[in-house]
C-alpha cells in the first residue's frame, strides 16, 4: 500500500506556525515511503498511485517554498524598519 501524504495535518501545523510538528510529520512520511519502497518497490501496477503521491509532494514543496520566501520577505521588511527606527532614534539624540 502506498503511504498517504499527511497533507492536511502538515498544512494545519504550518498555519499554526508549528514548524517542528510539520517537520516531524514530513520526516515520518519520508521514513514510511522509504520502508514501503524497500519492501514493495513501485511497478507497473501501482505506477499511477506513486505518481499521484509524487505530484502531491511537489505541490507541498511549492507551498513550503512560498512560505519560506514570504517569511524571508517579512524578515527583510522588519530589518529595514528596525534600521529606520535606529536612524530616527540616532537623529534625536
Amino acid at each position: 500500500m502506498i503511504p498517504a501524504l499527511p497533507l492536511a495535518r502538515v498544512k494545519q501545523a504550518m498555519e499554526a506556525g508549528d514548524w517542528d510538528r510539520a517537520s516531524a510529520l514530513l520526516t515520518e512520511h519520508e521514513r514510511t515511503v522509504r520502508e514501503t519502497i524497500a519492501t514493495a518497490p513501485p511497478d507497473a501496477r501501482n505506477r499511477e498511485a506513486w505518481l499521484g503521491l509524487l505530484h502531491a509532494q511537489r505541490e507541498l514543496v511549492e507551498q513550503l517554498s512560498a512560505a519560506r520566501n514570504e517569511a524571508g520577505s517579512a524578515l527583510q521588511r522588519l530589518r529595514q524598519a528596525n534600521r529606520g527606527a535606529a536612524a530616527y532614534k540616532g537623529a534625536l539624540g
Side-chain angles (χ1 to χ4, degrees):
M1 183 168 159
I2 297 168
L5 181 64
L7 189 57
R9 292 184 296 157
V10 171
K11 285 184 178 183
Q12 185 179 35
M14 288 170 49
E15 289 169 3
D18 190 351
W19 298 103
D20 289 337
R21 177 72 179 138
S23 179
L25 287 165
L26 292 173
T27 298
E28 177 63 21
H29 175 68
E30 178 186 5
R31 185 189 62 74
T32 303
V33 167
R34 287 178 183 273
E35 287 175 358
T36 301
I37 289 173
T39 58
D43 59 29
R45 293 171 293 163
N46 58 18
R47 181 179 187 273
E48 290 303 315
W50 279 107
L51 288 174
L53 175 60
L54 179 60
H55 178 72
Q57 288 173 332
R58 285 182 177 168
E59 285 182 359
L60 181 57
V61 167
E62 288 175 12
Q63 292 171 6
L64 290 169
S65 293
R68 181 195 62 215
N69 292 341
E70 184 179 318
S73 295
L75 182 58
Q76 183 63 28
R77 288 189 303 272
L78 181 60
R79 286 179 180 152
Q80 289 172 346
N82 283 342
R83 281 193 298 270
Y88 178 75
K89 184 178 176 182
L92 292 178

